[in-house]
Amino acid sequence: MPPKGGGEILFACPVRKVLRPVQFTDPGKIKRIRGTAYSVRVSPQMANRMVESARGILNKFLPDIYIYTDHMKGVNSGKSPGFGMCLTAETINGTILSAELASNPQGQGAAVLPEELGQNCAKLLLEEIYRGGCVDSTNQSLALLLMTLGQRDVSKVLLGPLSPYTIEFLRHLRSFFQIMFKIETKTAEEEHMGGEKVLMTCVGIGFSNLSKTIR
């Protein structure tokens, strides 16, 4: 947890020579919600309190909800106290929408109650579900980048309302790759749910990965 950190992330990724074009336009209906409430160098009850408050909101909409608790103490817990929650909603078509919140770093900002954080995280997830699309607002730019780097074929993805970050990112894609997306707006009535949607279409630049695996 910030400000002192002390954790370690191990990232592993298979090597891909080319990226296939994608047609991802039907997000489907939400079938389950999963999540993790984590706490380090604070009472283990913090995680349980977050789970209860989040479930209090989400159980009104869906019965299939499971939020794990992850409490760490001692040397393995890093150098700063704190707690947070990550929630993901999965649809029948495999779309995953996520929301995440964490407590303020020690000595910075007002103290946050775990109940408040759990409720706010649940509301954030409901906001992402309302926005809809096949990718949540945090990962819109990543999806568009991978579409740009794909093979010279048409890729389509349905997104919710574009975030300011995504709009700026589209300008960067135009500057770096000379790629322009076709943007079609879909009204809530057409999609029968949530906010307005945007259908993003482009032809990839045919980027090929020339890197070799280091043994």
Side-chain angles (χ1 to χ4, degrees):
M1 299 294 289
K4 294 179 183 173
E8 186 179 77
I9 294 172
L10 295 175
F11 175 73
C13 179
V15 176
R16 287 281 172 269
K17 191 160 192 241
V18 292
L19 294 170
R20 289 180 305 194
V22 66
Q23 304 285 325
F24 202 11
T25 56
D26 183 12
K29 293 186 176 177
I30 305 294
K31 66 175 178 180
R32 64 170 170 238
I33 292 174
R34 295 290 181 266
T36 304
Y38 55 89
S39 56
V40 294
R41 293 187 176 268
V42 293
S43 165
Q45 280 304 311
M46 294 289 196
N48 296 330
R49 286 161 66 184
M50 284 188 285
V51 171
E52 280 177 34
S53 61
R55 286 188 72 103
I57 291 176
L58 298 173
N59 271 126
K60 296 173 186 173
F61 306 98
L62 202 68
D64 189 0
I65 297 170
Y66 200 91
I67 304 173
Y68 301 87
T69 55
D70 184 4
H71 176 72
M72 293 294 282
K73 57 186 177 182
V75 184
N76 293 333
S77 63
K79 298 175 182 173
S80 293
F83 52 88
M85 177 177 266
C86 177
L87 295 172
T88 57
E90 192 177 334
T91 73
I92 52 176
N93 291 349
T95 296
I96 293 177
L97 305 172
S98 65
E100 187 170 4
L101 266 186
S103 58
N104 291 326
Q106 189 180 22
Q108 297 178 27
V112 181
L113 287 172
E115 288 82 4
E116 197 182 327
L117 191 142
Q119 285 178 356
N120 289 341
C121 193
K123 287 174 184 174
L124 262 183
L125 183 67
L126 292 176
E127 170 73 17
E128 287 292 350
I129 293 170
Y130 176 79
R131 291 168 68 97
C134 298
V135 183
D136 57 43
S137 58
T138 314
N139 294 302
Q140 285 175 348
S141 55
L142 177 60
L144 298 178
L145 175 63
L146 295 174
M147 286 166 68
T148 302
L149 294 173
Q151 290 171 292
R152 294 181 188 277
D153 204 346
V154 177
S155 287
K156 288 185 180 184
V157 70
L158 187 72
L159 303 177
L162 299 181
S163 67
Y165 182 92
T166 305
I167 293 167
E168 193 59 44
F169 192 81
L170 282 166
R171 295 185 183 125
H172 289 322
L173 289 177
R174 186 180 61 189
S175 303
F176 281 82
F177 298 109
Q178 287 74 53
I179 282 282
M180 298 278 278
F181 278 79
K182 182 184 176 188
I183 302 174
E184 298 171 74
T185 54
K186 304 275 185 184
T187 62
E189 288 75 32
E190 286 178 67
E191 296 300 315
H192 307 298
M193 51 192 160
E196 289 195 348
K197 307 289 186 291
V198 184
L199 182 65
M200 307 292 288
T201 309
C202 82
V203 176
I205 62 166
F207 184 80
S208 184
N209 182 9
L210 301 175
S211 305
K212 299 287 188 291
T213 307
I214 299 171
R215 299 193 186 282

